[in-house]
Amino acid sequence: DADVTQTPRNRITKTGKRIMLECSQTKGHDRMYWYRQDPGLGLRLIYYSFDVKDINKGEISDGYSVSRQAQAKFSLSLESAIPNQTALYFCATSVAFGELFFGEGSRLTVL
Amino acid sequence: AQTVTQSQPEMSVQEAETVTLSCTYDTSESDYYLFWYKQPPSRQMILVIRQEAYKQQNATENRFSVNFQKAAKSFSLKISDSQLGDAAMYFCACWDNNDMRFGAGTRLTVKP
C-alpha cells in the first residue's frame, strides 16, 4: 500500500459543484501539503499544515479550503468548482527539512 | 519567495548517452535545499536527488549527479548512460523557510 493515499484518483465534475479531495498518510509525518500541477507551470502550493491545529495558505489558496482531521488526514475542498480549477492535484508529506513524499495525484476535470 | 527556472521545456537523448538538464534558482535564504524530482507517465512524483546548500560536494545517486554552482545559483542534473525508463518530466525544486517551489519542468525523451 502507498504511504500517501489520495482519493479519488480521477474525477469529472460540473461547474458549481462542491468537490473534496482526500489524503491520508501512514508515514507518521506532521507536515502535509496540497499542490496543484498545471502544464508549463510546475507544481504550486495551495495549502499546508504543520500539525492538526496549524493551517497555512500557500501561493494559490483562493477558491480552495482545507481540513486537517487528524495527523494522518488532510482534505482539500473546492466549494464551487470552476473550469480553471481543472488540474492534477497532489498531496504530500514531509519531515522538517525539505524532501516531500507525494501521493499518486488526483486528476480533476471541471466541465 | 524563492523562484526556480527551468529553461528547457523539452530535451531528448539517445539511449546510453549523457544528458544535462538545467535549473537556476533565486533565494534570499542562506539555508536551503535543492531537489530534482522525476514524474514518469504514471504521474507519481519520485525524488531523484537532493543537495543541501551548505555542502560544497555535488550529490550523486548512481547514474544521476548534479552540478551545484552556489554563486551562480545553478543546479543542473546530469543523467549518464540514459535508459528508456528515464523518459519523464523532471522538476527542479528549491526548499527554504518551510516553502518548496518548483520549476515548470523539462520533458525528457529517450530515443532507442
Side-chain angles (χ1 to χ4, degrees):
Chain A
D1 290 341
D3 294 326
V4 183
T5 303
Q6 293 182 230
T7 56
R9 293 291 313 279
N10 299 283
R11 180 74 181 269
I12 299 173
T13 191
K14 295 182 178 180
T15 297
K17 295 291 188 180
R18 184 178 187 272
I19 294 296
M20 179 179 286
L21 306 180
E22 298 184 335
C23 178
S24 62
Q25 53 117 346
T26 58
K27 298 193 73 68
H29 292 165
D30 287 327
R31 299 183 175 203
M32 298 188 73
Y33 308 79
W34 276 104
Y35 282 89
R36 166 179 172 158
Q37 182 182 356
D38 297 279
L41 296 177
L43 281 76
R44 293 178 293 165
L45 182 63
I46 306 172
Y47 271 96
Y48 62 102
S49 170
F50 287 170
D51 65 42
V52 175
K53 296 181 180 179
D54 177 73
I55 302 288
N56 303 281
K57 292 182 177 181
E59 185 182 357
I60 53 163
S61 60
D62 287 349
Y64 302 95
S65 62
V66 292
S67 173
R68 185 82 183 264
Q69 300 96 324
Q71 188 218 29
K73 295 184 182 296
F74 192 37
S75 300
L76 176 72
S77 294
L78 288 68
E79 297 301 325
S80 179
I82 57 177
N84 75 1
Q85 292 178 313
T86 292
L88 180 59
Y89 291 85
F90 282 101
C91 175
T93 72
S94 78
V95 292
F97 296 105
E99 182 184 348
L100 297 176
F101 297 85
F102 287 89
E104 295 174 309
S106 296
R107 184 169 298 282
L108 176 65
T109 302
V110 183
L111 302 177
Chain B
Q2 73 275 44
T3 60
V4 179
T5 302
Q6 293 179 249
S7 59
Q8 306 155 316
E10 297 183 349
M11 292 284 285
S12 66
V13 62
Q14 205 72 32
E15 194 175 6
E17 296 295 309
T18 296
V19 64
T20 298
L21 307 184
S22 300
C23 174
T24 58
Y25 63 93
D26 191 16
T27 176
S28 58
E29 300 290 332
S30 58
D31 184 19
Y32 57 93
Y33 295 76
L34 298 165
F35 302 85
W36 279 97
Y37 280 89
K38 169 185 177 180
Q39 186 181 44
S42 67
R43 80 191 191 197
Q44 179 70 47
M45 294 288 287
I46 301 165
L47 178 68
V48 175
I49 201 164
R50 64 179 280 169
Q51 174 81 43
E52 291 88 344
Y54 63 85
K55 290 187 177 179
Q56 293 186 341
Q57 186 173 6
N58 289 325
T60 63
E61 287 288 343
N62 302 313
R63 298 182 295 106
F64 298 87
S65 61
V66 297
N67 183 5
F68 175 42
Q69 300 290 327
K70 191 170 185 177
K73 296 185 177 178
S74 171
F75 183 61
S76 60
L77 175 69
K78 185 172 80 171
I79 306 174
S80 303
D81 185 25
S82 296
Q83 300 176 359
L84 295 178
D86 295 333
M89 283 290 290
Y90 286 82
F91 292 98
C92 178
C94 175
W95 182 94
D96 75 30
N97 199 25
N98 295 319
D99 185 13
M100 181 86 94
R101 296 291 173 119
F102 290 82
T106 296
R107 182 174 300 281
L108 179 65
T109 302
V110 181
K111 298 178 180 178

